[in-house]
């Protein structure tokens, strides 16, 4: 695979733009499935039709249809919470958190399920940054073991 091949690069860009502008079959089908799942979510707004009973081409409409507005709000609130907490971390950890969160948000436009392992690996990576930050803060303010026991209480 030669990424410097201009014909290949042009073809990739053309196909991507075709999907986004609904000029090819894949883009049209994804759009129809998305709006169908949004309609299912609107008809079953609070709790959805049940997790696993429907599958879309993206995470957001799939969550909305299967676990309802409550589930979608919880998911968005969790992502927002990670974003806000990420802004409070040190510079390197902040960049890592925001990159990982961006990767999840972007990839979830094409991956419809929470059961894909990479989502949980990335979320664990983000959560571990906050735990490391807490432990470092406790160790510097309380001198070691007392800080850890205080953290665990």
């Amino acid at each position: 695979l030669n990424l410097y091949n201009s014909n290949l690069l042009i073809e990739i860009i053309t196909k991507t733009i075709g999907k986004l502008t609904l000029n090819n079959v894949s883009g049209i089908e994804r759009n129809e499935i998305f709006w169908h799942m949004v309609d299912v979510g609107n008809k079953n707004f609070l709790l959805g039709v049940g997790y696993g009973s429907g599958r879309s081409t993206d995470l957001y409409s799939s969550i909305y249809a299967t676990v309802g507005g409550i589930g979608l709000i919880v998911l968005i609130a969790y992502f927002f919470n990670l974003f806000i907490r990420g802004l409070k971390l040190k510079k390197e950890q902040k960049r890592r958190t925001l990159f990982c969160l961006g990767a999840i948000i972007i990839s979830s436009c094409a991956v419809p399920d929470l059961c894909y392992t990479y989502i949980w690996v990335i979320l664990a990576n983000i959560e571990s940054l906050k735990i490391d930050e807490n432990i470092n803060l406790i160790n510097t303010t309380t001198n070691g073991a007392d800080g850890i026991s205080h953290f665990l209480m």
Side-chain angles (χ1 to χ4, degrees), residues 8 33 81 123 127:
L8 177 62
I33 292 169
N81 180 296
L123 288 174
E127 292 290 351

Side-chain angles (χ1 to χ4, degrees), residues 4 6 13 38 70 85 104 143 150:
Y4 296 109
S6 61
I13 291 171
V38 168
I70 293 173
R85 286 178 21 212
I104 289 175
N143 251 348
H150 177 71

Side-chain angles (χ1 to χ4, degrees), residues 104-147:
I104 289 175
I105 291 170
I106 291 169
S107 65
S108 62
C109 292
V111 178
D113 295 319
L114 287 173
C115 63
Y116 286 99
T117 307
Y118 79 89
I119 291 176
W120 297 105
V121 170
I122 293 174
L123 288 174
N125 187 358
I126 295 171
E127 292 290 351
S128 73
L129 292 174
K130 187 62 179 169
I131 291 170
D132 289 345
E133 183 79 14
N134 286 339
I135 290 173
N136 289 338
L137 177 65
I138 290 168
N139 283 336
T140 57
T141 58
T142 61
N143 251 348
D146 285 341

Side-chain angles (χ1 to χ4, degrees), residues 56-70:
S56 181
T57 57
D58 68 293
L59 180 65
Y60 308 108
S61 65
S62 185
I63 291 291
Y64 181 52
T66 59
V67 293
I70 293 173

